Amino acid sequence: MSEIITELRPHLYRIMLGRYQAYLWRDNDTATLIDAGPAGSGPLIADAMRHIGLDPSSLVQVVLTHFHDDHAGAAAELAAWGEVKIIAHEADAPFVRGERPGPPPNFTDFERELHAQVAAGLPAAPPSRVDHEVSDGDLLEFGDGARVLSIPGHTDGSIALHLPSHGVLFTGDTIAEHMGQVIPGVFNLDPAQLANSAARLADLEVEVACYGHGEPSLSSASARLREVAEQ
């Protein structure tokens, strides 16, 4: 199980869900999940929580950085665990609920081929309730106050979460890591907006950056983010 859940620093864990990942923040005996992974991830997440001494009933909220299937796929499963609040940006919430299909990315030719490879076998996300819709500047109750940052581009409702008391940033898919390089996210709805959003994240002073895909930056993350913005 240690290969599935890894403690990155006190309170902060990474959960590997096959080719995908989510992050868990622990406040004493309660937990917040940042993203839910693909459909079917519920049992893995439950086992990962038990591995660090948390009962799955201690999960109080799931914050979705955006609506895509690899991030919101297991939201409905987790919502059924009990008193779990599902949180998403107001622009992406209708797609999480399944009220209408979300818009596809504006693929480059290269991205279209790459997406066909990396998304092969990814199940569609079942509709999930959304209990709380957020917008830019909202404050969520975990990590001594987590600030919601609206960072459109990957999707209209993409968000980042900034925990200033801990110097931690969750970037969603606006930023990624690949083969040691921190890069702008791919498969975007609006690449120009994504560039602006990446620049906004680069203005933050953070020590740790947790990306939607790839290895997190566990030190000097602001410098890595500024490199991306300069691209």
Side-chain angles (χ1 to χ4, degrees):
M1 180 56 67
S2 59
E3 69 275 11
I4 294 178
I5 185 164
T6 305
E7 184 176 17
L8 302 177
R9 62 183 301 167
H11 306 287
L12 175 62
Y13 298 82
R14 180 193 191 192
I15 303 177
M16 295 306 301
L17 303 167
R19 293 177 292 169
Y20 308 103
Q21 62 193 26
Y23 295 95
L24 183 144
W25 184 271
R26 179 174 187 169
D27 286 308
N28 299 318
D29 293 326
T30 64
T32 295
L33 199 65
I34 295 88
D35 286 324
S41 295
L44 271 178
I45 293 169
D47 287 346
M49 292 180 66
R50 293 188 187 101
H51 185 74
I52 61 170
L54 285 175
D55 190 87
S57 63
S58 66
L59 182 66
V60 296
Q61 55 192 353
V62 179
V63 187
L64 304 176
T65 61
H66 59 292
F67 75 86
H68 286 163
D69 295 333
D70 53 333
H71 292 259
E77 297 168 62
L78 302 176
W81 282 8
E83 298 298 319
V84 181
K85 183 185 293 184
I86 307 298
I87 300 170
H89 188 276
E90 57 191 5
D92 273 17
F95 313 134
V96 176
R97 293 191 183 104
E99 295 169 2
R100 58 184 187 274
N106 287 314
F107 293 117
T108 65
D109 289 341
F110 167 76
E111 287 179 336
R112 187 173 288 104
E113 294 180 9
L114 178 62
H115 186 266
Q117 298 172 17
V118 300
L122 177 64
S128 170
R129 71 171 196 264
V130 175
D131 302 297
H132 180 50
E133 297 183 15
V134 294
S135 58
D136 189 57
D138 287 353
L139 197 65
L140 298 178
E141 293 182 2
F142 74 95
D144 299 308
R147 183 70 64 183
V148 175
L149 304 175
S150 179
I151 48 168
H154 187 65
T155 69
D156 286 339
S158 286
I159 60 171
L161 299 168
H162 181 210
L163 281 58
S165 297
H166 298 272
V168 172
L169 177 69
F170 300 94
T171 70
D173 279 2
T174 296
I175 308 289
E177 185 275 341
H178 180 65
M179 299 182 66
Q181 298 296 313
V182 180
I183 59 174
V186 294
F187 313 146
N188 302 308
L189 187 64
D190 188 326
Q193 273 194 326
L194 181 116
N196 291 334
S197 292
R200 182 183 185 189
L201 297 183
D203 283 340
L204 301 172
E205 291 299 326
V206 293
E207 185 69 13
V208 174
C210 297
Y211 312 116
H213 298 273
E215 297 293 324
S217 295
L218 300 180
S219 63
S220 304
S222 291
R224 305 299 302 277
L225 295 173
R226 284 192 286 270
E227 291 173 6
V228 175
E230 290 169 1
Q231 295 178 34

